[in-house]
Amino acid sequence: MQAIEVSHISKSYGKVKALDDVSFSVDKGEVFGLIGPDGAGKTTLFRILCTLLLADQGTALVDGYDVVSQMGQIRSRVGYMPGRFSLYQDLTVRENLEFFATLFGTTVEEGYDSIRAIYSQIERFADRKAGALSGGMKQKLALSCALVHQPSILFLDEPTTGVDPVSRKEFWEMLGTLKERGITIVASTPYLDEVRCCERVAFLHEGRVQGVDQPDIILDRFSAIFNPPGIDKSVAVAQQQTGRENVIEVSHLVKAFGTFHAVDDISFSVRRGEIFGFLGANGAGKTTAMHMLTGLNQPTSGTGTVAGFDICKEHEQIKKHIGYMSQRFSLYEDLTVKENIRLFAGIYGMRDEEIARKTDQLLEQLQFTEHKNDLVGSLPLGWKQKLAFSVSIFHDPDIVFLDEPTGGVDPATRRQFWELIYEAAGRGITVFVTTHYMDEAEYCDRISIMVDGKISAMGTPEELKQQFHQPDIDHVFTYLARQATRSSD
């Protein structure tokens, strides 16, 4: 029996055709994946099936009900977890759960048995605001909110973006228990290990369904997109000089919030032109450490220099010699591509003639010349990502800090992004990067892995695999992260 039937659905936004004659079906109790590159139409399809958006053409049935004429029946039967968790950051854990229960005309008490296994893991933080939770904790709360009214179908739009590998594995284990209860699950994800957790997947590309089959069959059939060739590190290494000076030096750095040490006595150095991976589970202390290195926060104790400037006394000078790119890309969505470039170049103090010359070069390099007057908000995610990185190094900084820059991006686009990273490192720019993609960690010259505020391991990817007798960095990370003693909150 079918839980979802999609028949010839099309949807356009102006001249852009987001969905083009899409048809497929999902069996009851099935774990079904919607996969494809950025801009393929996955989120638009989720919104149509959840009755949040009307299609231009075609029909769709969810649990036997029409998405247009029977919206009310569908909304009482589905749970929807969009990207960014859909939580209210200023409400507590308990208040978020009560709010979602009220929306569906139920109570937390009535639906507690359906969320007990998941919610019990965060229930001791019931009075904490959602904005103060780690990614993994928000994920569990958002899933609890989506399940509190006991839906028969669960829609998950990239639910694990920005979450560390161990928390991602735990999340999919939770989905396994939901399947055992007969809940139909439709999920989109950019992670190949999660794609393989689905029973079947539909591959969307440019708004059209290219194939529906078992995960391995689809991944093999479209390997150019999902499994692009790896980057040749030897070329990048040959471009880099040996015996470079250190551009980051940290000694016994501590950041305490009351009695809690978010960063607990870390020491390391990073060389010029090095690609340095800064890894750790959610709550390990990575972001706090990066905030101190970029001048956004002051250490409690310890010393450090970035680009030769003291992190305690010269943080304003540090900001002039670094670039920074966050997971949210740091671009202004209501400005054009060219306006964003000019704005950030002006902030960095570049001269008008230099800005004009380098802007034309950058637009040509990114093949954005025809799109220079497009609003950034209209660009695909992968384009925004490449533009944001290029803007962050437009002023040729000594160091660029990248905080999970490829979150939610498909493998082929991530590979293109890392080609830009290698090019920047070849020019002598130090790249300090955090990521939850362990295949990206393999691309780094050296990596450190933080656990409970301390650096538990540091070295080249090969050194760490040998030291911990693991086949890849994913296994090294998991081995160390599971030794954490403090909560990931």
Side-chain angles (χ1 to χ4, degrees):
M1 193 171 179
Q2 294 176 341
I4 299 170
E5 296 179 60
V6 177
S7 181
H8 305 290
I9 288 287
S10 294
K11 177 66 180 180
S12 296
Y13 301 100
K15 297 179 180 179
V16 178
K17 199 144 196 176
L19 295 172
D20 186 7
D21 196 30
V22 170
S23 298
F24 64 90
S25 62
V26 180
D27 296 332
K28 279 190 179 294
E30 185 176 20
V31 179
F32 189 88
L34 278 179
I35 62 175
D38 306 308
K42 302 185 297 295
T43 297
T44 295
L45 185 55
F46 271 118
R47 290 174 177 169
I48 289 173
L49 295 177
C50 292
T51 74
L52 301 175
L53 190 66
L54 291 175
D56 297 332
Q57 293 178 327
T59 61
L61 298 178
V62 175
D63 217 12
Y65 296 95
D66 184 82
V67 295
V68 176
S69 61
Q70 297 172 301
M71 289 184 180
Q73 291 92 328
I74 290 176
R75 289 178 181 178
S76 67
R77 287 167 169 79
V78 304
Y80 179 41
M81 186 173 163
R84 306 297 180 193
F85 305 119
S86 69
L87 298 172
Y88 291 90
Q89 305 295 309
D90 291 332
L91 296 183
T92 66
V93 168
R94 178 73 184 189
E95 288 169 343
N96 266 281
L97 195 59
E98 289 175 342
F99 173 76
F100 280 92
T102 302
L103 281 181
F104 293 104
T106 185
T107 65
V108 174
E109 289 71 27
E110 286 181 40
Y112 189 80
D113 285 343
S114 64
I115 63 172
R116 181 192 305 274
I118 300 166
Y119 183 63
S120 61
Q121 300 177 43
I122 58 173
E123 194 166 10
R124 64 185 183 279
F125 305 111
D127 295 327
R128 182 171 299 181
K129 289 187 177 181
L133 300 175
S134 71
M137 304 289 278
K138 288 179 181 177
Q139 180 192 62
K140 292 171 184 174
L141 175 57
L143 185 57
S144 297
C145 291
L147 291 169
V148 70
H149 62 296
Q150 305 178 59
S152 58
I153 300 175
L154 187 60
F155 291 99
L156 307 172
D157 191 1
E158 297 191 0
T160 57
T161 296
V163 179
D164 67 81
V166 173
S167 295
R168 289 198 297 108
K169 291 182 176 70
E170 292 175 350
F171 183 83
W172 278 85
E173 289 170 1
M174 288 187 285
L175 295 186
T177 64
L178 298 179
K179 174 181 167 55
E180 292 174 1
R181 287 163 41 191
I183 296 177
T184 303
I185 298 169
V186 181
S188 67
T189 176
Y191 296 99
L192 299 190
D193 58 330
E194 295 183 356
V195 171
R196 292 188 174 94
C197 291
C198 300
E199 294 166 88
R200 288 189 306 142
V201 297
F203 171 47
L204 282 173
H205 184 63
E206 295 181 346
R208 297 185 68 89
V209 174
Q210 305 297 320
V212 180
D213 215 318
Q214 296 174 8
D216 285 335
I217 294 174
I218 293 294
L219 294 178
D220 180 64
R221 182 178 166 192
F222 300 100
S223 59
I225 292 175
F226 293 105
N227 191 25
I231 295 174
D232 184 1
K233 292 184 67 173
S234 63
V235 175
V237 172
Q239 294 175 337
Q240 298 172 10
Q241 304 173 3
T242 58
R244 299 181 298 264
E245 75 275 19
N246 291 333
V247 292
I248 298 176
E249 293 184 340
V250 170
S251 179
H252 301 293
L253 203 62
V254 173
K255 181 61 179 181
F257 299 95
T259 59
F260 176 72
H261 285 199
V263 175
D264 191 6
D265 193 18
I266 63 173
S267 300
F268 64 92
S269 60
V270 183
R271 299 185 297 273
R272 182 173 300 280
E274 185 175 20
I275 302 174
F276 187 81
F278 201 56
L279 311 185
N282 296 111
K286 305 186 306 298
T287 300
T288 301
M290 282 188 71
H291 284 174
M292 289 188 283
L293 295 178
T294 54
L296 298 175
N297 212 331
Q298 295 297 297
T300 303
S301 63
T303 60
T305 59
V306 173
F309 298 100
D310 190 300
I311 62 173
C312 299
K313 303 174 183 177
E314 300 174 297
H315 37 88
E316 289 304 319
Q317 289 90 329
I318 288 174
K319 293 175 184 177
K320 298 176 183 178
H321 289 81
I322 65 171
Y324 181 78
M325 177 182 166
S326 72
Q327 189 179 356
R328 296 178 184 272
F329 304 130
S330 314
L331 296 173
Y332 288 89
E333 303 258 307
D334 54 352
L335 295 182
T336 66
V337 169
K338 191 172 183 179
E339 287 169 343
N340 265 280
I341 296 172
R342 287 193 59 85
L343 172 65
F344 284 97
I347 291 173
Y348 292 132
M350 298 175 65
R351 299 188 306 275
D352 287 345
E353 57 271 22
E354 185 182 15
I355 294 174
R357 175 180 58 82
K358 292 192 69 174
T359 296
D360 291 339
Q361 291 176 352
L362 177 59
L363 291 171
E364 184 176 349
Q365 175 191 353
L366 296 177
Q367 299 181 346
F368 278 13
T369 302
E370 294 182 2
H371 302 278
K372 64 182 179 182
N373 294 319
D374 291 358
L375 291 177
V376 164
S378 69
L379 300 178
L381 183 62
W383 289 28
K384 292 180 186 178
Q385 176 202 58
K386 287 183 279 191
L387 177 62
F389 176 71
S390 300
V391 167
S392 71
I393 61 170
F394 195 70
H395 58 305
D396 292 321
D398 292 303
I399 306 155
V400 61
F401 289 88
L402 308 177
D403 192 2
E404 296 180 27
T406 55
V409 181
D410 64 86
T413 305
R414 289 198 291 114
R415 186 190 186 282
Q416 294 171 9
F417 185 82
W418 273 84
E419 289 174 344
L420 295 177
I421 288 180
Y422 273 118
E423 181 183 328
R427 288 160 42 197
I429 296 176
T430 299
V431 180
F432 190 99
V433 58
T434 71
T435 179
H436 286 319
Y437 290 97
M438 294 300 103
D439 60 325
E440 292 184 351
E442 302 268 4
Y443 292 151
C444 298
D445 297 317
R446 284 189 306 144
I447 57 179
S448 73
I449 301 177
M450 286 190 74
V451 178
D452 290 347
K454 298 179 181 291
I455 293 178
S456 291
M458 184 182 302
T460 67
E462 287 303 318
E463 288 171 348
L464 294 184
K465 285 183 281 189
Q466 291 176 16
Q467 179 182 346
F468 294 100
H469 308 290
Q470 300 293 337
D472 52 41
I473 293 300
D474 185 28
H475 283 78
V476 173
F477 181 95
T478 301
Y479 171 77
L480 292 172
R482 291 197 185 280
Q483 296 179 19
T485 57
R486 74 188 191 192
S487 304
S488 63
D489 63 299

